[in-house]
Amino acid sequence: MAGKGEGTKAEERVIVETYSEELSTLSKSPSMVLVHKFGERQNAYNRNMEARMQAVQSVCRRFQGEINELQEENDKLRAQLKVEKERNRQLFEKMAHDMKNMQNVINQIRLYTDLNTKAIKRMSDENSSDGSENENAVKKA
């Protein structure tokens, strides 16, 4: 990349020195004076453009640095998001497993409650039928 920058710098120097001020000493004719003044203005313009281009390139390098930093931060955030997604997936799996276990316990409690209720009813019915048989036996005696 340094080689590319050096090549660009050499190209910039060629562009900036489009008019050699040494030529102005060759002739003092009015047309050469005009050419000289034009050349000086062109050189000034080229130097101004070179300075502006360097400023733009500097801003571009700064923006590229900021972009690189943001990309690194984005990569870190993506990695964190991936970890969080995996953690959430594991938590939801555990929660689903716990809910299934809880549902099994609730179903067992319902079954025991139904069985106990039926057993109590049966015992109550037996006691009442035993009680009425006892009452009938007492009445007959």
Side-chain angles (χ1 to χ4, degrees), residues 9-132:
K9 194 67 168 172
E11 291 171 16
E12 289 173 0
R13 295 303 322 158
V14 170
I15 292 170
V16 169
E17 297 173 0
T18 55
Y19 172 73
S20 173
E21 295 183 14
E22 295 170 0
L23 294 176
S24 64
T25 58
L26 295 177
S27 172
K28 294 293 181 188
S29 71
S31 61
M32 284 307 290
V33 169
L34 289 175
V35 168
H36 176 68
K37 288 185 187 243
F38 173 80
E40 287 178 331
R41 285 193 305 267
Q42 184 65 47
N43 283 347
Y45 174 82
N46 289 347
R47 282 189 290 274
N48 185 8
M49 285 295 109
E50 180 181 21
R52 288 182 180 192
M53 286 299 296
Q54 288 174 351
V56 167
Q57 288 170 346
S58 174
V59 169
C60 288
R61 283 189 297 272
R62 184 174 50 99
F63 284 157
Q64 188 60 50
E66 291 176 12
I67 288 169
N68 292 341
E69 288 175 11
L70 290 172
Q71 285 176 335
E72 288 174 9
E73 183 180 348
N74 187 36
D75 292 343
K76 288 177 186 176
L77 290 173
R78 283 181 187 262
Q80 288 175 351
L81 179 63
K82 186 177 179 180
V83 167
E84 287 297 319
K85 281 183 177 180
E86 179 60 24
R87 184 173 162 257
N88 285 343
R89 185 189 63 76
Q90 290 172 355
L91 288 173
F92 279 115
E93 284 178 2
K94 184 183 181 319
M95 188 171 53
H97 179 73
D98 291 346
M99 288 177 69
K100 186 176 180 180
N101 288 341
M102 188 171 30
Q103 186 63 47
N104 288 339
V105 169
I106 290 171
N107 289 341
Q108 283 179 341
I109 291 171
R110 284 183 184 155
L111 177 63
Y112 292 147
T113 303
D114 287 347
L115 291 174
N116 288 339
T117 303
K118 289 178 184 177
I120 291 170
K121 186 175 181 181
R122 209 175 35 245
M123 288 168 58
S124 295
D125 289 345
E126 286 176 5
N127 283 341
S128 23
S129 64
D130 284 347
S132 44

